[in-house]
Amino acid sequence: MISKHKMDPLEILIEPLRHSPLLPAAVKRLQTQIADESARRNQFYRDMTPEQKTEFVDGEIILHSPARNRHLEVTMMVAKLLDTFAGIHQLGVVRVEKCLCVFPRNDYEPDIVFFGSAKAEALDASTLKFPVPDLIVEVLSDSTEKNDRGVKFEDYAANGVAEYWIIDAERSTLEQYLLRDEIYYLEQKSSSGTLTSRVITGFQVAIESMFDQQANVAALRSMLAGSE
């Protein structure tokens, strides 16, 4: 059950300092940190290249290592499903891998993102810095799981990413999170059954089609047949 009196997360953070004699010193230190991060972030923008998958998180540059084949396979199957459906129904655009999404403090390159029509209309051929997506999919790896379930989970929710999928390619499992009152709630965690998106209107597929090539092809054929 969701509390009707949920406290603002920002209030929870600052309340202990609000009446403390250390408040001025804390504010000064935070201002210094923010200025430092801003300088590093601008340097990150100058140094980043299309060949690298990099992110700027918590003031640090994260350079990602190459992904395993299963990770790439599942990412491609999920992206094809989303892109095909969104394209048929003209609901928005899907981008994969090196799509730099700019959040207030951090910059991420999620595995898959979806921008609804409103945000998609603002994109053009030269767009390099993308807005906060409407839906994000992260496919877990050993090096990214901590952030996918940690800072990204918190940041995506705080900045209005309405739907977040965490996919475990090795275990063929999907976790679907939906946003309510700036908090993600687990809608389902499953390796089978049906996934229905809240963000992409009408998108409904068998979860198996994200992990099995034959099921993926069958789902794509069904989408295409339904568009005729």
Side-chain angles (χ1 to χ4, degrees):
M1 181 180 294
I2 304 172
S3 170
K4 294 181 180 179
H5 305 287
K6 181 178 71 69
M7 192 172 182
D8 182 350
L10 188 58
E11 287 294 325
I12 294 173
L13 285 175
I14 67 175
E15 183 59 30
L17 280 171
R18 193 182 294 278
H19 304 291
S20 170
L22 296 175
L23 177 60
V27 170
K28 184 176 181 180
R29 184 173 295 184
L30 288 172
Q31 288 173 332
T32 300
Q33 179 179 337
I34 290 170
D36 249 6
E37 279 192 20
S38 179
R40 290 199 298 272
R41 195 177 193 184
N42 287 330
Q43 188 63 49
F44 165 73
Y45 291 148
R46 289 192 291 270
D47 292 344
M48 64 185 185
T49 66
E51 293 76 28
Q52 296 178 324
K53 181 174 180 177
T54 56
E55 298 180 316
F56 187 83
V57 182
D58 194 17
E60 302 296 333
I61 297 172
I62 298 175
L63 179 62
H64 291 277
S65 58
R68 296 182 185 276
N69 186 52
R70 178 58 175 168
H71 180 287
L72 297 173
E73 179 185 38
V74 170
T75 300
M76 182 64 72
M77 285 192 284
V78 176
K80 284 193 293 186
L81 292 168
L82 291 171
D83 187 56
T84 299
F85 188 86
I88 289 171
H89 299 283
Q90 298 183 343
L91 298 174
V93 299
V94 175
R95 295 291 179 261
V96 181
E97 291 286 349
K98 296 176 183 177
C99 175
L100 188 73
C101 299
V102 178
F103 283 66
R105 185 183 179 193
N106 301 312
D107 299 285
Y108 304 110
E109 290 190 340
D111 290 309
I112 306 170
V113 296
F114 168 79
F115 301 101
S117 298
K119 292 180 181 178
E121 287 175 4
L123 306 178
D124 60 34
S126 64
T127 299
L128 183 63
K129 297 177 184 177
F130 290 76
V132 173
D134 296 304
L135 179 147
I136 290 179
V137 182
E138 295 285 12
V139 181
L140 297 177
S141 63
D142 292 341
S143 62
T144 66
E145 182 168 8
K146 181 179 178 181
N147 278 351
D148 291 343
R149 296 190 180 281
V151 63
K152 289 185 176 183
F153 194 93
E154 180 181 356
D155 208 358
Y156 294 171
N159 287 285
V161 179
E163 190 165 349
Y164 181 30
W165 303 351
I166 296 178
I167 293 179
D168 188 328
E170 298 301 323
R171 294 179 174 83
S172 299
T173 301
L174 172 137
E175 299 168 34
Q176 179 190 23
Y177 293 91
L178 300 179
L179 188 66
R180 294 198 294 271
D181 299 324
E182 297 184 6
I183 295 176
Y184 281 134
Y185 291 86
L186 181 63
E187 180 72 9
Q188 67 170 321
K189 178 179 180 179
S190 183
S191 299
S192 60
T194 302
L195 170 74
T196 302
S197 173
R198 187 179 75 180
V199 169
I200 305 178
T201 304
F203 182 83
Q204 187 176 77
V205 294
I207 292 174
E208 292 94 330
S209 67
M210 299 181 177
F211 303 106
D212 177 79
Q213 287 286 358
Q214 289 187 334
N216 186 261
V217 170
L220 291 169
R221 284 176 175 166
S222 178
M223 286 181 191
L224 293 168
S227 68
E228 295 175 353

